[in-house]
Each structure stands twice: as structure tokens, then as C-alpha cells.
Amino acid sequence: MRKFLTLTGISIQKLMYYKTSFLLNLITPFIELAGQFLLWNALYGLQGGSPIGGMARREMLTYIPVAFALNNLLSWTTENALSREIRNGTVVARCIRPVSFISQAVAEMSGAAIVQGAVNFSVVAVLFAFFHKSFVFPGPGAAAVFVPCMLLSVLLRILVIEVFSLLCFFTTGHLGISWTRNALCNFFSGALIPVSLFPGWLAGLTYMTPFPYMVQIPVAVLLGRELPAGLFWTFFLQIFWIGIFLLLHFCIFRRIRRNMNIAGG
């Protein structure tokens, strides 16, 4: 744990060293947030303020910033750091350190998530404070359950990114894999459109994947909305998918190490 925390601290320092890039990565995603507010506000205006897909305007306006905060904990640069290292060969540094490969990846992305998360949830808090009449405020019980659900969702997202990044060992490029992962995560996690608004058959298929447990499910817990599998099974499924991606990591990485030669010293 001490080594993990040290690596997390190093990751935070590295992110904040290049101040201009750091600030741009923090601020740029909020343009997307403003666009989502304008879009959904216009859609509810066309509906005369009536619910869309069973979600009232205040519920949707609450869903948008919380989903945004969860979905944008990692910048594009951070998500693709491991992929780029694999393609340019600098990944060998990770392989010779006295810390497991996966611990390094999780620590690096955790450091980035801590910094970006502090900014994201600060913005959400400011929005709730100044425009409180437009939002639904969760009760203390829902907020207490949301915290562990959110932490599991972040860990799951980090492991998904790490496993997809390992696939770059078997390709000649990384952008195709990154774009595919990003598209799957953004759409099926509920970051762009709540999964509850999907057609019934598509929502059912989506809940059989790990993606909604990254955004849709934690926000539903916070809003007190009905969960597809109940609270206990929701936590179980999050842990189950975390275990699946840990297993995938070890299977893929074992094959990688069998075919990897590291020379030099």
C-alpha cells in the first residue's frame, strides 16, 4: 500500500508539473457539460416541461452534472498514457520496477482521478449551491451509499482502460482501440444518454455489460431511482466485473510476458 500511495503521489505531481496543459485538461471538458445542459433544456422545452422517458426535468438536470463528473475523471491523455508507452517501447520501465504492472497503472490513473474529481465535484457543488431550485437534492442515505458505489465504479473504469491498453501489445497502433473503448464507455455507461431512456431490449443488453456500472448505476443510486438488480446485487455485480477484468489482465499479461524480451540494464 505504501508503494501504491507513493506512485499515486508521483502521478499527481507529474500531472501538475506542466501547468498550462494541466489547466486545459481540467477546463476543456466543461464545454461538453454546457452543451449537454443546453441540449436537454431545449428538449424539455419542446416537451413543455413534461417528463422524458420517465425522468422529470429536475432529475435530468441533476443527472447531467453528476454523470459528467464521473465520466470525466480521466483525461484523454491519462487514459492513453499506457497505450502510448506500449507503442513507443517505454513500457519496459514499468516491467522492471519492483511493483506489479497493474498496481502502477491503477496508481497512475488514481492520481489523475483524484485531481480531476476534486475539480469536477467542486463544480457540481457550486451548481447545486447557486441553482438549487433546478436540481434534486439526494438524501443523506443515498449520498452515503453513493460513495462506495462511486469508488467501485472508478476502479472498474480504470481496469477496463488498463485491459484495453494491453491489447496494444498485439497491434501496430493504439488509436483504434482507444476510440473503440471510448465509444463503448461513453454510450453504454449512460454518460451521454441515461440507460433508462434506451429501448427495453437495448437497456436489458446494456445491463449485462460492465459499462452502466461506471456511470448510470452510481447516479441512479444517488437519485434514489429504481435499480435493475437491487442494491445488494448492484454492489455484487460491480465487484464481479472488477474481478473479471482483473482476471483478464492476468491472462493477457501472462501471455505478453512469455513473448517479451527486455534487454539492457
Side-chain angles (χ1 to χ4, degrees):
M1 179 58 71
R2 185 176 179 181
K3 292 180 180 178
F4 180 86
L5 294 176
T6 300
L7 289 171
T8 302
I10 292 171
S11 173
I12 294 173
Q13 292 176 34
K14 184 170 66 174
L15 283 171
M16 300 178 70
Y17 183 80
Y18 299 100
K19 296 179 177 57
T20 302
S21 176
F22 171 71
L23 291 174
L24 287 174
N25 283 332
L26 287 181
I27 296 171
T28 302
F30 292 103
I31 299 173
E32 178 187 339
L33 176 61
Q36 286 185 297
F37 268 121
L38 292 173
L39 173 63
W40 284 104
N41 195 51
L43 290 174
Y44 276 96
L46 292 173
Q47 293 288 327
S50 58
I52 297 177
M55 292 187 73
R57 183 197 291 262
R58 291 181 65 203
E59 275 189 304
M60 182 60 76
L61 293 182
T62 305
Y63 181 97
I64 292 169
V66 179
F68 165 84
L70 286 174
N71 191 53
N72 289 279
L73 289 174
L74 299 170
S75 67
W76 176 259
T77 301
T78 303
E79 288 186 351
N80 291 285
L82 178 56
S83 299
R84 289 194 303 273
E85 288 184 18
I86 292 171
R87 296 316 312 154
N88 62 30
T90 56
V91 71
V92 295
R94 294 178 184 253
C95 299
I96 61 177
R97 290 172 186 153
V99 184
S100 68
F101 191 94
I102 192 169
S103 294
Q104 295 177 63
V106 174
E108 179 181 347
M109 287 186 271
S110 295
I114 290 170
V115 176
Q116 186 71 54
V119 175
N120 290 358
F121 284 102
S122 294
V123 171
V124 172
V126 170
L127 288 173
F128 273 55
F130 282 92
F131 305 101
H132 55 275
K133 293 183 179 180
S134 300
F135 299 107
V136 176
F137 281 81
V145 176
F146 169 74
V147 173
C149 189
M150 176 193 68
L151 294 176
L152 288 173
S153 73
V154 174
L155 178 57
L156 176 58
R157 184 182 183 89
I158 288 173
L159 292 174
V160 168
I161 293 170
E162 198 268 350
V163 168
F164 269 83
S165 297
L166 289 181
L167 298 179
C168 294
F169 276 105
F170 307 98
T171 65
T172 56
H174 73 276
L175 287 178
I177 292 174
S178 298
W179 288 335
T180 300
R181 172 188 50 75
N182 198 48
L184 290 172
C185 289
N186 283 342
F187 184 76
F188 290 106
S189 70
L192 299 178
I193 304 172
V195 177
S196 57
L197 301 188
F198 288 5
W201 65 271
L202 182 57
L205 289 175
T206 301
Y207 283 120
M208 295 173 65
T209 71
F211 304 112
Y213 299 95
M214 302 177 193
V215 176
Q216 171 72 35
I217 293 298
V219 182
V221 167
L222 187 65
L223 293 176
R225 293 183 63 84
E226 183 179 356
L227 300 173
L231 187 59
F232 172 80
W233 284 106
T234 293
F235 280 108
F236 172 80
L237 287 170
Q238 282 186 304
I239 296 170
F240 168 78
W241 281 114
I242 288 170
I244 289 294
F245 279 93
L246 282 172
L247 181 61
L248 285 172
H249 161 81
F250 289 118
C251 292
I252 296 172
F253 193 66
R254 181 181 300 173
R255 181 178 177 184
I256 290 167
R257 288 309 300 263
R258 283 203 305 264
N259 296 279
M260 180 188 293
N261 292 317
I262 301 175

